[in-house]
Amino acid sequence: MSRRCLITCLLVLLINEVTLALEETVEAVEGRNVLLPCLYSGDIPKSKEVDVAWRYNDDKNVHDIIEGNVYVDNQDPVFKNRTESFPDAYGKGNFSIRLSRVSGSDNGTYSCLLTFASDTLYIKLHVKAPQPTPEPTPGSKNKSMESRSVQILLIFTSLLGYSLVLF
């Protein structure tokens, strides 16, 4: 009994490790574009045999590559006109997509199903709010300018005093 429990625990740990290794986390800033990577290092078939399906949380159609061509007719309306892939890079195993104008509702898990290789890559997208640009405190620029003006005034006064002594 304990042997069976030990084997089950080891399998659960192994499966968990494999799942974690196959998922990549990508961070993006709200309102900007983000690259969702999907790279394949094996043998790439002819473009007519290349089918790749991008999905969001396993149910929404994000972007499809069918027979080496972009196919977005069945794309979920949420992603309409917001995805782009790079056909020139397909032959190198790069099936990444760019998602434009990300928002908080884009948070989640994206899958890149490489049907020609029976392989799936998972990307967890985390969208952050943009960082506000710090407002300068009133007078902060004036202080440095003021100290520079004082230095110039002191130098000028010294030179003026020195020139008066000479004449």
Side-chain angles (χ1 to χ4, degrees), residues 148-162:
R148 183 80 174 153
S149 297
V150 168
Q151 288 174 346
I152 291 171
L153 182 62
L154 286 172
I155 292 170
F156 181 70
T157 307
S158 298
L159 289 174
L160 184 61
Y162 182 72

Side-chain angles (χ1 to χ4, degrees), residues 19-75:
T19 302
L20 290 175
L22 296 177
E23 184 175 276
E24 184 174 339
T25 300
V26 173
E27 290 189 350
V29 177
E30 194 169 4
R32 298 214 177 137
N33 302 339
V34 66
L35 185 71
L36 301 176
C38 182
L39 304 172
Y40 180 70
S41 59
D43 292 330
I44 309 299
K46 297 175 187 170
S47 64
K48 292 289 182 194
E49 298 169 3
V50 171
D51 291 340
V52 178
W54 275 94
R55 299 294 178 264
Y56 171 72
N57 291 338
D58 290 329
D59 64 344
K60 290 185 179 178
N61 184 333
V62 178
H63 192 92
D64 285 330
I65 301 165
I66 299 174
E67 295 181 350
N69 296 304
V70 175
Y71 181 77
V72 290
D73 291 352
N74 293 331
Q75 189 176 43

